[in-house]
Amino acid sequence: MALGPRLDLRQSQSLVMTPQLQQAIKLLALSNLELEAYLAEALEGNPLLDTASTDSDGSVGDPGDAPGSEGPAAEAASLDADQALASDSGTANDLDVDYATESHQQDSVADGGSGMDGALSMTGASAGGVGGEDGPDLDAFADTSLSLADHLLAQAGPAIPREDAFIAEHLIDQIDEAGYLTVSLLDIANRLGVPLVRVEAVLATIQTFDPTGVGARDLAECLTLQAKEADRYDPCMALLIANLDLLARGELTRLKRICDVDDEDMADMIRELRGYDPKPGCRYGGEPAQSVTPDLFVARTKAGWAIEINASTLPRVLVNRSYYTELSGGQQDKASKAWLSDCLASANWLVKALDQRQRTIIKVATEIVKQQEAFFLKGVAHLRPLTLRQVADAIEMHESTVSRVTSNKYVSCARGLYELKYFFTSAIQSADGGEAVSAQAVKSAIRALIDTEGAKILSDDTLVELLNAKGFDIARRTVAKYREALGIGSSVQRRRARTLEGAG
């Protein structure tokens, strides 16, 4: 075998993705809000991109549609750009390819990552509504714009001596968002070079601040501070707080013997503990809850199902050809002309990619609604098993395309707001050999059974029997897995909780 250097000619095939095609594939996976941020970056970087303006009559105007703005140069440039795009490998069919295993050149940060009306605009309007007599007392919540640390520092000013202010600031800095001190006092004393007793005195002062219970080192101390504030910290309450583990296990008989109280006193103490806040710091500085904005609206009409994209969260991006005509009409060097042509081609491609994205999303959503029509009509119990491949085969697209379209996107319908991934569930075989049902339908049946179990707590074995009677062929371990996924405790935990509710 020769060991010397030599030249060889080889032929091979490889998948090449243009930056434009990478961009189009990325747009599929973005939600409307993410796409809005992406378009803001694109508008800033390309002078030929512009957003549509709404005329006085409510119509959407194109910034490049002004009279006389379309000249021969603009038309020729547009034609050249369109021909270049048409001859490019990035067509609509190229979007429907699995590129999960491909690595691509990232050229920039962007490479890495009309309002609705009628029935659609009202769909799911009540999903996020909160009200009524049983609604939360908003006055009980502190102003979330003020952090817990700022709230405590404001109280420390007049309450802490000036020579101990640095100790108070350090202690407050170590209090977590729930209001607990998570660092040892000895470590803080050694770090600051002060006596331990001095740190303990400052902490004792901080523990008198609002909210009551802040600065505690564990749950027992937090409840103790609140009991003292309410003037309910007697020897019996102290013993109850010292044995919270027994209370969690529901061993009320043993607790009554330890605290030396009767049933009435024990119920009163438990009721008092339930009124305390185990995480007092959470009232301050928490991030406001972010509402989910739907990407799609689905509503039933006389003609069938109406599916529309929520255009209110997306600006309409247009190519400003009048500005291109103005720029191209002046004297330019070769580099400027090339840059201007690139901007026009990039703008044209982005507009086409956005249009293709909307068409693909509507196509996938239409097939999902078709497959899960029983859910939209009758509820979760009629949710059918569905996979990405089933939808992909039905619309003649690749499975990866459907996966991108359904990622981080939400649909609003009469039954509420759901992620598109929610409609893809595994199948549970029917006990009588009939049609399989979805895992979500089984979870719904489990929740319904537990919600109506009454005084007799249902074990997982009993749930299996009841589900088999309903036609669900399911194993006990699967019931336990679904129950835990729903956040429902075991029969033992539910029995203890029922006992505590009866005692309180």
Side-chain angles (χ1 to χ4, degrees), residues 231-494:
D231 197 20
R232 289 295 306 271
Y233 192 70
D234 51 31
C236 295
M237 180 64 76
L239 290 171
L240 178 61
I241 293 176
N243 294 275
L244 291 176
D245 56 333
L246 298 180
L247 182 61
R249 294 199 298 266
E251 299 183 17
L252 299 184
T253 302
R254 186 176 175 184
L255 277 175
K256 286 187 291 184
R257 185 170 63 253
I258 293 175
C259 299
D260 193 20
V261 294
D262 55 16
D263 292 341
E264 184 178 355
D265 290 337
M266 177 57 66
D268 184 61
M269 289 192 296
I270 293 176
R271 192 179 303 111
E272 180 72 21
L273 282 183
R274 284 180 174 171
Y276 298 157
D277 188 354
K279 296 181 179 181
C282 289
R283 288 181 251 165
Y284 295 86
E287 292 293 332
Q290 298 292 333
S291 59
V292 177
T293 302
D295 300 275
L296 292 162
F297 291 108
V298 175
R300 185 168 177 79
T301 63
K302 295 180 179 180
W305 292 101
I307 304 172
E308 293 187 24
I309 288 183
N310 184 7
S312 62
T313 59
L314 289 177
R316 185 185 174 192
V317 180
L318 301 173
V319 181
N320 194 334
R321 303 191 185 280
S322 60
Y323 189 49
Y324 172 81
T325 304
E326 180 181 349
L327 292 177
S328 60
Q331 295 182 353
Q332 296 178 340
D333 54 19
K334 186 176 181 180
S336 299
K337 290 182 179 180
W339 173 80
L340 190 60
S341 298
D342 289 342
C343 287
L344 180 62
S346 177
N348 279 327
W349 179 269
L350 180 59
V351 171
K352 291 183 178 181
L354 290 174
D355 180 68
Q356 180 64 28
R357 173 186 180 270
Q358 292 189 344
R359 293 175 185 272
T360 305
I361 292 176
I362 290 294
K363 193 173 184 180
V364 172
T366 301
E367 182 61 27
I368 291 176
V369 172
K370 178 182 177 182
Q371 296 279 355
Q372 301 290 4
E373 184 175 13
F375 164 83
F376 291 99
L377 293 175
K378 303 177 182 178
V380 68
H382 298 271
L383 197 64
R384 294 178 51 193
L386 187 63
T387 63
L388 295 173
R389 181 172 294 277
Q390 288 178 261
V391 174
D393 292 342
I395 62 178
E396 298 181 349
M397 285 188 172
H398 197 277
E399 187 176 347
S400 64
T401 303
V402 179
S403 178
R404 292 187 185 96
V405 169
T406 55
S407 296
N408 303 318
K409 295 180 183 62
Y410 291 82
V411 57
S412 178
C413 62
R415 298 195 173 277
L417 189 65
Y418 296 90
E419 189 178 8
L420 284 179
K421 291 288 188 184
Y422 175 83
F423 300 102
F424 297 92
T425 62
S426 56
I428 301 296
Q429 296 300 321
S430 176
D432 55 3
E435 185 179 0
V437 295
S438 72
Q440 290 293 346
V442 177
K443 290 180 181 179
S444 177
I446 292 174
R447 180 181 292 278
L449 288 173
I450 293 178
D451 288 344
T452 58
E453 63 186 355
K456 184 179 179 181
I457 304 298
L458 301 177
S459 65
D460 288 347
D461 291 327
T462 306
L463 288 173
V464 170
E465 295 176 0
L466 294 175
L467 290 171
N468 287 336
K470 289 179 174 288
F472 301 139
D473 185 11
I474 189 171
R476 181 186 180 279
R477 63 180 179 276
T478 307
V479 170
K481 181 179 71 174
Y482 287 174
R483 174 179 50 74
E484 292 172 358
L486 292 170
I488 300 174
S490 64
S491 58
V492 175
Q493 293 171 329
R494 300 200 305 275

Side-chain angles (χ1 to χ4, degrees), residues 147-176 180-183 185 188-189 191-192 194 198-199 201-207 209 214-215:
S147 68
L148 177 62
D150 293 338
H151 182 62
L152 295 177
L153 287 173
Q155 300 175 75
I160 302 294
R162 181 175 301 178
E163 60 272 15
D164 291 335
F166 72 101
I167 301 178
E169 291 178 2
H170 192 81
L171 286 171
I172 291 174
D173 188 56
Q174 299 300 321
I175 294 176
D176 63 14
Y180 287 87
L181 181 65
T182 57
V183 181
L185 292 184
I188 294 178
R191 190 181 307 163
L192 299 179
V194 296
R198 189 173 168 187
V199 178
V202 175
L203 177 61
T205 303
I206 293 176
Q207 289 178 344
F209 293 169
V214 71

